[in-house]
């Protein structure tokens, strides 16, 4: 992270490390917390529901949902997480708002043609942003994306650049982009949150 910040002439304080602990046990979160990490990313509401009670004493830890959220899990998600990074529809935003708990949200943007990916299309952002801003409990902070998988970090660059342009067009400050393999590219392109699992904790087992 500091190498990429140097290259991009960026202040490292402007890039936050989100430790992605999905699939790893609560103990892993605890160990990372002991080393100073405070922001954690999880993909599955149900999995984190099991871990959260074991971490209740880490009172200043903050949890971000970075996996797709189904609308029947919004209530539970709003209870468990501080930030939902994967809002991609007005319906989902309204359901989160109904939980009557203040939440930070990011909009997940789909920038590739892959069928398997979730996220709002860039053309939908104007309406989606208006819908989120109309929700009194939601605070919109920025955009999130996940490019198609490639071993080559340079393959992610056009997607990161596009997300930065979209955030600029819509006046949003935060950019959640970059994972273990393309973190430096993401920082060069303006990431303010990088989501890192494997590089911190090693390979994940299959769930
Ligand atoms: C799992 C995951 C990550 C972390 O990926 P690594 O390659 O292990 O760093 C980041 N973002 C999302 C959305 C993920 O699902």
């Amino acid at each position: 992270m500091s190498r990429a910040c140097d290259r991009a002439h960026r202040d490292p304080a402007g890039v936050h490390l989100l430790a992605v602990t999905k699939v790893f046990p609560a103990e892993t979160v605890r160990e990372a917390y002991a080393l100073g990490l405070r922001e954690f990313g999880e993909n599955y509401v149900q999995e984190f529901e099991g871990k959260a009670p074991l971490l209740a004493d880490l009172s200043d830890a903050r949890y971000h949902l970075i996996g797709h959220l189904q609308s029947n899990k919004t209530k539970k998600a709003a209870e468990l997480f501080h930030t939902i990074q994967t809002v991609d529809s007005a319906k989902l935003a309204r359901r989160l708002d109904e939980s009557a708990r203040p939440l930070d949200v990011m909009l997940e943007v789909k920038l590739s043609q892959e069928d398997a990916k979730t996220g709002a299309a860039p053309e939908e952002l104007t309406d989606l942003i208006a819908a989120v801003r109309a929700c009194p409990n939601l605070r919109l902070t920025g955009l999130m994306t996940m490019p198609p998988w490639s071993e080559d970090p340079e393959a992610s660059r056009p997607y990161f650049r596009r997300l930065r342009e979209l955030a600029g067009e819509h006046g949003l400050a935060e950019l959640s982009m970059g994972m273990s393999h393309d973190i430096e590219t993401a920082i060069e392109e303006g990431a303010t949150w990088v989501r890192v699992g494997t590089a911190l904790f090693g390979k994940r087992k299959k769930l």
Side-chain angles (χ1 to χ4, degrees), residues 12-166:
V15 188
H16 306 283
L17 175 60
L18 185 69
V20 177
T21 45
K22 65 174 175 220
V23 187
F24 286 98
E27 197 48 43
T28 301
V29 178
R30 193 172 282 287
E31 283 169 19
Y33 182 94
L35 293 169
L37 292 175
R38 291 294 179 272
E39 309 277 344
F40 299 94
E42 290 274 339
N43 283 57
Y44 312 102
V45 175
Q46 207 167 342
E47 187 204 343
F48 188 58
E49 198 180 354
K51 290 186 219 178
L54 306 172
L55 300 167
D57 57 312
L58 310 184
S59 56
D60 61 343
R62 293 184 84 267
Y63 302 99
H64 301 235
L65 182 68
I66 60 170
H68 180 61
L69 178 59
Q70 290 169 313
S71 53
N72 63 350
K73 298 226 170 85
T74 47
K75 190 162 179 285
K76 190 45 80 181
E79 282 166 26
L80 291 169
F81 293 97
H82 301 86
T83 300
I84 309 289
Q85 291 202 1
T86 49
V87 172
D88 63 358
S89 73
K91 181 183 160 202
L92 200 58
R94 285 193 287 266
R95 291 197 63 134
L96 285 166
D97 189 51
E98 279 166 16
S99 66
R101 201 170 172 266
L103 271 176
D104 284 355
V105 303
M106 291 185 172
L107 306 179
E108 182 176 5
V109 187
K110 181 177 161 167
L111 296 174
S112 64
Q113 301 309 314
E114 298 165 290
D115 285 342
K117 286 262 164 62
T118 53
E123 315 80 74
E124 295 172 325
L125 281 178
T126 300
D127 288 349
L128 184 52
I129 288 168
V132 172
R133 291 211 165 118
C135 294
N137 291 311
L138 306 187
R139 190 176 74 100
L140 179 61
T141 64
L143 303 178
M144 177 269 204
T145 202
M146 193 153 143
W149 170 259
S150 164
E151 265 181 22
D152 176 10
E154 282 305 314
S156 300
R157 191 181 295 278
Y159 298 94
F160 295 156
R161 196 167 283 172
R162 181 81 181 107
L163 196 72
R164 184 187 64 203
E165 286 167 4
L166 286 168

Side-chain angles (χ1 to χ4, degrees), residues 20 22 43 66 144 146 179-181 195-199 204:
V20 177
K22 65 174 175 220
N43 283 57
I66 60 170
M144 177 269 204
M146 193 153 143
M179 322 200 314
S180 294
H181 70 290
R195 310 180 306 263
V196 181
T198 310
R204 285 178 292 274

Side-chain angles (χ1 to χ4, degrees), residues 175-197:
L175 286 172
S176 172
M177 57 191 199
M179 322 200 314
S180 294
H181 70 290
D182 54 13
I183 174 177
E184 294 191 44
T185 312
I187 291 170
E188 288 166 11
E189 293 300 331
T192 63
W193 287 90
V194 287
R195 310 180 306 263
V196 181

